[in-house]
Amino acid sequence: MSKPSVLFVCVKNGGKSQMAAGLMRKAAGDNVDVYSAGTKPGDAVNALSAETLLEVGVDITGETPTLVDPQLVRDVDLVVTLGNEAKVEPIPGTDFENWDTDEPSERGIDGIERMRLVRDDIAARVDALAERLATR
């Protein structure tokens, strides 16, 4: 049985999808092939995203936003879009999920506190997914 693979996608590939990928690498180790990409990648990883992950022992500071590769979408087992802005065309044979992640800014929470809440929401979802992938 081959190792499961997952691609996390958001728009800029600088925050949520990078966070999810880093957290999945921590949760699953070498048991899952992990990728992240953006539909309209930005120039760099969000500094607050990286800072909040460092607080939990995950370093994404060396990551670079990349564009979604259609071949990778075909090759992975699962594509997870984070939020409701990133759109990836479904491809037969690849599973798709959307995580409508917490958006604390809608409640007036910004800055590092916002990012910690986003991180914790994504971390809980990643842990559940890692468990699911381990038992498939």
Side-chain angles (χ1 to χ4, degrees), residues 33-84:
D33 287 329
V34 181
Y35 307 93
S36 74
T39 55
K40 295 178 184 168
D43 296 326
V45 169
N46 178 295
L48 287 178
S49 295
E51 183 180 337
T52 60
L53 284 187
L54 284 171
E55 294 174 351
V56 296
V58 176
D59 186 356
I60 62 167
T61 56
E63 299 296 328
T64 305
T66 57
L67 182 64
V68 172
D69 177 353
Q71 185 61 51
L72 182 59
V73 173
R74 280 190 284 282
D75 292 346
V76 297
D77 299 308
L78 174 64
V79 174
V80 176
T81 53
L82 291 100
N84 51 19

Side-chain angles (χ1 to χ4, degrees), residues 71-127:
Q71 185 61 51
L72 182 59
V73 173
R74 280 190 284 282
D75 292 346
V76 297
D77 299 308
L78 174 64
V79 174
V80 176
T81 53
L82 291 100
N84 51 19
E85 293 178 24
K87 305 290 185 219
V88 179
E89 284 299 313
I91 293 177
T94 301
D95 291 330
F96 285 79
E97 288 182 16
N98 176 260
W99 292 354
D100 192 10
T101 52
D102 184 26
E103 193 38 74
S105 61
E106 292 173 357
R107 300 187 305 275
I109 302 169
D110 291 309
I112 192 81
E113 189 54 36
R114 171 188 174 264
M115 266 315 153
R116 287 180 180 131
L117 291 168
V118 170
R119 174 201 64 203
D120 294 347
D121 177 37
I122 292 172
R125 294 166 189 264
V126 162
D127 289 345

